[in-house]
Amino acid sequence: RPLVSLRGVAKRYDSGTVALQGVDLDIGRGDFLALLGPSGCGKSTLLRIIAGLASPSSGTLAWPAAAQDQRGPTLPRLGFVFQEPTLMPWATALANAALPLRLEGVARSEREARAAEALKRVGLAGFERAYPRALSGGMKMRVSIARALVTRPDILLMDEPFAALDEITRFRLNNDLLEIWQEAGFTVVFVTHSVFESVYLSRRIAVMASRPGRIETEITVPAPYPRG
Ligand code: ADP
Ligand code: ADP
């Protein structure tokens, strides 16, 4: 049973642009899936549809594994990482990472403990009290990943998360993200322009093409050697 299942998904914007057509995609629990393709092929649109931030014009999106829950249909827990870390400048790294828990009404002591744990996982132990302006671009991105993971999401959705970073910082983040994923085993879907990044990070690559945006082919990446 896949976690997410899309069938015949199309997206036509009000402007008339057909951003996606005929998208069939199953995403399993624990998958690490890259959406790879040129600018304008509909990667962000597809990610936003999976995230529930945009609705398909036709076709279906289902969460079969979430629907299995005894208490009836449940909403999947989503974690988001965007290209801009979008941290609150007036709040510490700890408060930024704890924000989703605060919105869920989790008590302060618990949310601070969980946010500190999330910061530790992304390599920011010791920076709990730092403000965003004192952090480098890579560190801000780490806080943003900690914030996305703090609710222990079913699926982590990332839209070109590391595109604004220099190449070495980006490579370090790739390695750390792989390590966190191997430990925690959540599902990841991310958008990238980078063939290197998609092959290095993911286990499946949906290669997309334009006019209309669609998945042209799917590639399974063999794990070439044990990492870590
Ligand atoms: P990608 O992420 O691969 O660059 P997008 O999903 O952002 O592609 O865009 C796919 C196509 O849909 C592009 O032609 C883009 O200009 C168009 N598009 C994206 N968002 C909107 C929108 N909100 N309104 C109208 N057209 C859009
Ligand atoms: P990306 O390449 O990451 O998809 P874009 O610069 O294409 O980013 O899009 C940024 C924002 O602008 C998105 O919210 C998208 O929906 C919107 N957008 C993109 N293309 C169009 C368009 N042709 N008309 C209206 N909004 C658009």
Side-chain angles (χ1 to χ4, degrees), residues 9-13 45 48-50 52-59 61:
V9 164
K11 178 68 179 182
R12 187 177 199 278
Y13 285 108
T45 299
R48 285 201 295 267
I49 286 174
I50 295 168
L53 299 171
S55 50
S57 316
S58 58
L61 167 78

Side-chain angles (χ1 to χ4, degrees), residues 13 15 17 19 38-45 48:
Y13 285 108
S15 61
T17 304
S39 213
C41 70
K43 303 182 294 296
S44 295
T45 299
R48 285 201 295 267

